[in-house]
Amino acid sequence: MLRNRIGIILLTALAPAVWGSTYLVTTELLPPGRPLLAGVVRALPAGLLLVLLTRRLPRGAWWWRSLVLGALNIGAFFALLFVAAYRLPGGVAATVGAVQPLLVAGLSAGLLGERLTLRTALSAVAGVGGVSLLVLRADARLDGIGVAAALGGAVVMAAGVVLSKRWASPAPLLATTGWQLVAGGLLLLPVALLVEGPPPATVTAANLLGYGYLTVVGAAVAYVLWFRGIRALTPTSVTFLGLLSPVVATLLGWLVLGQDLSLAQGLGGAIVLAALIAAQLRRPVRRAPAVPGPGDAFRSADAPLPVGAPLPADAPVPAGRTEPADRPAPADRPDPAGGRARGATRWSQAPAAAGPARLGSRAG
């Protein structure tokens, strides 16, 4: 059971790790100034691919639920993330977004009845502090609209995670993931056309490689792993894994792009990982001691036996009841009153009417 849970956590953690590579792919392979187009290309083709593979469409309430979840998890989240990225330095946007675990913990307590523990709250605060050390710069400037957009992105994503857990879909995982990606991509498409205009006329091989990576790995594979984790784990445990994205982005910037990595950033990364691990630990479950039931060794000697239950070895046979064949003869049983052996005559051979008199004589 524990190994299975650890395996699910590790697989789910691959999703935010992949999303942490989005910054590198976007800056190195995609055309500049087209983040909304990248969001549409990332979500819509991946969703259509999953729907075609499963050949399942929503039914009943899942038409509007897919639209709501697709808007929260993908469409509205990408749009707000785009506003925050354009109006804030990347470190500020990532630090504001790091409050998402605390938001998910609060929403889970209200909508799912989960307990908001002190350890979860402290881990969430430590996560925000670690991310700020990791990506925040001293000369970072703040913008009210940008901060509001970053906080709004964290709120809608937190709501999407909790509702994805609350609304358990009977459909396969690939199908529900595809529905959300299609809904999010369709909602984002008109916004991208309105803000960025039509797609560029020329697309290079590097652009196609980047878009293909975002579609297949960054959306189809990553979101399937993400929603699988939400099904198997608590939303709070899953959302803490999202703190891996800025850690992976910083490491890739250092390894691939040659960016500097300071001691403070290393400390911030260590704090993030410690908060993430602490959030995955579960409290030991205390089991109440078993209550003895009928027929247990704790039965009182004066308690009546259930109907059909065998008599104890030293109990008298009531009148009208034949002693079992496998019961030892009275001569083989010591008398509990005086230790003498009883007569050799079997009780089953005594007349039924003599039963009460025999019982009375024993009592005397």
Side-chain angles (χ1 to χ4, degrees):
M1 185 66 180
L2 179 60
R3 291 183 178 179
N4 185 39
R5 185 174 185 272
I6 294 176
I8 294 175
I9 292 175
L10 293 177
L11 284 177
T12 307
L14 290 177
V18 167
W19 296 335
S21 67
T22 302
Y23 175 78
L24 177 65
V25 173
T26 301
T27 56
E28 299 299 314
L29 299 178
L30 299 186
R34 296 294 184 127
L36 290 179
L37 175 63
V40 174
V41 176
R42 176 183 176 183
L44 190 55
L48 292 174
L49 176 63
L50 293 179
V51 172
L52 289 176
L53 288 176
T54 58
R55 298 182 180 181
R56 293 282 297 268
L57 292 177
R59 295 181 180 180
W62 272 99
W63 282 103
W64 66 267
R65 287 183 177 180
S66 299
L67 184 64
V68 171
L69 293 177
L72 294 175
N73 289 318
I74 298 162
F77 174 70
F78 283 177
L80 292 171
L81 197 63
F82 154 75
V83 175
Y86 264 73
R87 301 187 69 96
L88 292 175
V92 176
T95 302
V96 175
V99 304
Q100 182 180 320
L102 189 58
L103 297 174
V104 169
L107 290 175
S108 297
L111 296 178
L112 303 177
E114 293 185 4
R115 182 184 177 187
L116 178 57
T117 63
L118 179 61
R119 183 181 63 189
T120 299
L122 293 178
S123 299
V125 173
V128 175
V131 171
S132 65
L133 287 175
L134 187 65
V135 298
L136 196 60
R137 300 293 177 265
D139 58 347
R141 57 180 180 83
L142 298 181
D143 176 80
I145 298 178
V147 172
L151 184 58
V155 170
V156 297
M157 185 67 173
V161 169
V162 176
L163 288 179
S164 297
K165 184 69 172 183
R166 181 180 177 88
W167 294 338
S169 173
L173 175 64
L174 295 182
T176 55
T177 304
W179 301 342
Q180 294 187 49
L181 288 171
V182 170
L186 290 177
L187 291 173
L188 196 59
L189 179 60
V191 180
L193 293 176
L194 181 63
V195 175
E196 299 177 354
T202 58
V203 179
T204 66
N207 297 155
L208 292 177
L209 179 62
Y211 285 133
Y213 174 82
L214 291 181
T215 298
V216 178
V217 181
V221 175
Y223 274 103
V224 166
L225 294 176
W226 182 253
F227 289 127
R228 178 178 180 268
I230 293 176
R231 285 191 176 189
L233 306 171
T234 64
T236 304
S237 298
V238 173
T239 194
F240 266 98
L241 299 176
L243 298 177
L244 285 174
S245 289
V247 176
V248 172
T250 303
L251 287 177
L252 290 177
W254 175 57
L255 294 173
V256 179
L257 302 179
Q259 297 175 350
D260 295 333
L261 187 63
S262 65
L263 182 61
Q265 288 179 296
L267 177 61
I271 293 175
V272 169
L273 294 179
L276 188 154
I277 294 174
Q280 306 306 317
L281 301 178
R282 297 188 299 180
R283 296 179 59 187
V285 179
R286 296 182 179 180
R287 298 182 178 180
V291 178
D296 290 340
F298 300 98
R299 172 185 297 278
S300 171
D302 298 330
L305 290 173
V307 177
L311 290 173
D314 59 347
V317 179
R321 177 168 175 177
T322 303
E323 184 178 9
D326 57 349
R327 184 173 179 174
D332 301 331
R333 295 194 305 270
D335 188 350
R340 295 173 301 173
R342 297 185 183 275
T345 305
R346 296 181 59 86
W347 288 15
S348 58
Q349 299 172 358
R358 183 181 298 272
L359 290 175
S361 60
R362 271 191 83 198

